[in-house]
Amino acid sequence: MSGPVLECRFGVRYHEVDQQGAVRLPVVMTWLQDAGIEHATQLGVAVRDLRKLGLTWVLSRLTLELEHYPRGAEEVTVRTWPVTREGRFSIRDYQLLNAAGQQIGQATTSWAVLDLKSRRPVKIDDHLPPYPLRPLRALADPFSTLPMLEQCSSALELPVLRADLDPNRHVNNTVYAGWALEAVPAAIADSCQVTRLEIGFRAEALYGDRIRSCCAPLPDDPQTLLHRIEHADDGRELCRLRTSWRQAR
């Protein structure tokens, strides 16, 4: 069995950068996802292992802070470890390091194990084998409920494509951040970068759905946006997000 901490290295490729030449935020989320999957595989609790038991992992919450956006040809090391597994949830945290070993970001995530038939979470200790934990938070977030966006100031509709789906046959968690950013006004998106991203997942989106991505700044803090991803047909809430922004560097 692997140890409690895994390190994976990633290089920034040309098609992964934005118009400012910095890596796109959904790409950073794929790095976290890939590192977590690799570690779960080594620990014997990857999705392919759980599916044999009629189970799967689903992401409930994610908080990511990024002090520096890597650019083309930069190498990033993602360090990850499981922190806790209590009741129906397991916390997995991450550190992002540059080539000099300096920390440029950190993230924390909360995962549930879902019964594929009932679509309901189960108690982890009752269904998964033991694996080593590192009880150290990279980012101390209590995962308080994110505020709901009540009044939208910017929105657009998008279809759910086959390319958005993962092996669980629903939209992959990394896609939601991209949807949220697409609705951000150009005055912010073209000159600023996200310093903190918080996501709370509430329901699944499936192939053939149409979603609406909405956002609005906080009245007392224009550098912080609330986001809502919802079904375009009935308004059912899929995801809540909160983003904090700064001038691009």
Side-chain angles (χ1 to χ4, degrees):
M1 177 180 289
S2 174
V5 181
L6 178 74
E7 292 188 355
C8 295
R9 290 179 175 81
F10 300 91
V12 181
R13 295 172 291 185
Y14 182 78
H15 70 275
E16 295 173 332
V17 301
D18 60 18
Q19 56 193 342
Q20 300 162 4
V23 69
R24 292 181 288 110
L25 192 60
V27 174
V28 177
M29 292 182 62
T30 65
W31 293 346
L32 304 183
Q33 179 176 258
D34 288 350
I37 289 172
E38 175 61 27
H39 199 201
T41 299
Q42 294 184 15
L43 297 174
V45 290
V47 167
R48 69 184 185 189
D49 301 305
L50 269 62
R51 291 183 74 87
K52 297 173 184 176
L53 305 174
L55 307 169
T56 193
W57 288 107
V58 290
L59 182 60
S60 172
R61 291 292 301 269
L62 176 143
T63 301
L64 167 65
E65 293 180 347
L66 205 57
E67 290 87 40
H68 167 72
Y69 273 73
R71 307 178 75 84
E74 286 190 52
E75 186 178 85
V76 176
T77 296
V78 175
R79 181 181 295 157
T80 184
W81 62 93
V83 179
T84 65
R85 44 179 281 172
E86 300 176 358
R88 292 175 171 82
F89 293 95
S90 177
I91 291 176
R92 173 175 284 277
D93 280 11
Y94 303 82
Q95 292 174 321
L96 293 93
L97 312 173
N98 63 15
Q102 300 167 322
Q103 186 166 316
I104 61 171
Q106 52 276 330
T108 183
T109 56
S110 177
W111 296 81
V113 173
L114 199 72
D115 184 291
L116 289 170
K117 288 185 178 179
S118 68
R119 310 303 291 179
R120 298 180 64 84
V122 301
K123 290 186 177 180
I124 294 176
D125 283 342
D126 290 347
H127 295 82
L128 267 60
Y131 50 81
L133 304 175
R134 184 189 188 207
L136 175 67
R137 299 294 300 274
L139 183 57
D141 190 335
F143 295 127
S144 302
T145 302
L146 293 173
M148 183 173 68
L149 175 62
E150 299 284 357
Q151 192 165 6
C152 180
S153 63
S154 177
L156 81 163
E157 291 189 12
L158 295 164
V160 175
L161 306 175
R162 291 188 181 93
D164 298 327
L165 306 182
D166 62 21
N168 289 325
R169 298 183 179 274
H170 62 199
V171 172
N172 186 266
N173 66 79
T174 62
V175 175
Y176 289 86
W179 284 345
L181 297 179
E182 286 295 336
V184 174
I188 297 176
D190 290 349
S191 62
C192 298
Q193 294 173 326
V194 174
T195 59
R196 182 179 171 97
L197 166 71
E198 301 168 79
I199 308 180
F201 297 93
R202 307 181 71 83
E204 297 175 299
L206 306 173
Y207 176 66
D209 290 343
R210 287 195 64 84
I211 66 94
R212 182 181 297 111
S213 176
C214 313
C215 75
L218 292 179
D220 58 347
D221 183 6
Q223 295 301 108
T224 299
L225 303 182
L226 293 183
H227 306 258
R228 174 185 170 96
I229 308 295
E230 63 185 20
H231 274 290
D233 55 351
D234 59 10
R236 183 162 56 93
E237 190 177 34
L238 300 171
C239 182
R240 294 182 188 179
L241 305 93
R242 179 165 54 194
T243 55
S244 300
W245 298 73
R246 68 164 181 233
Q247 199 70 26
R249 297 174 181 173

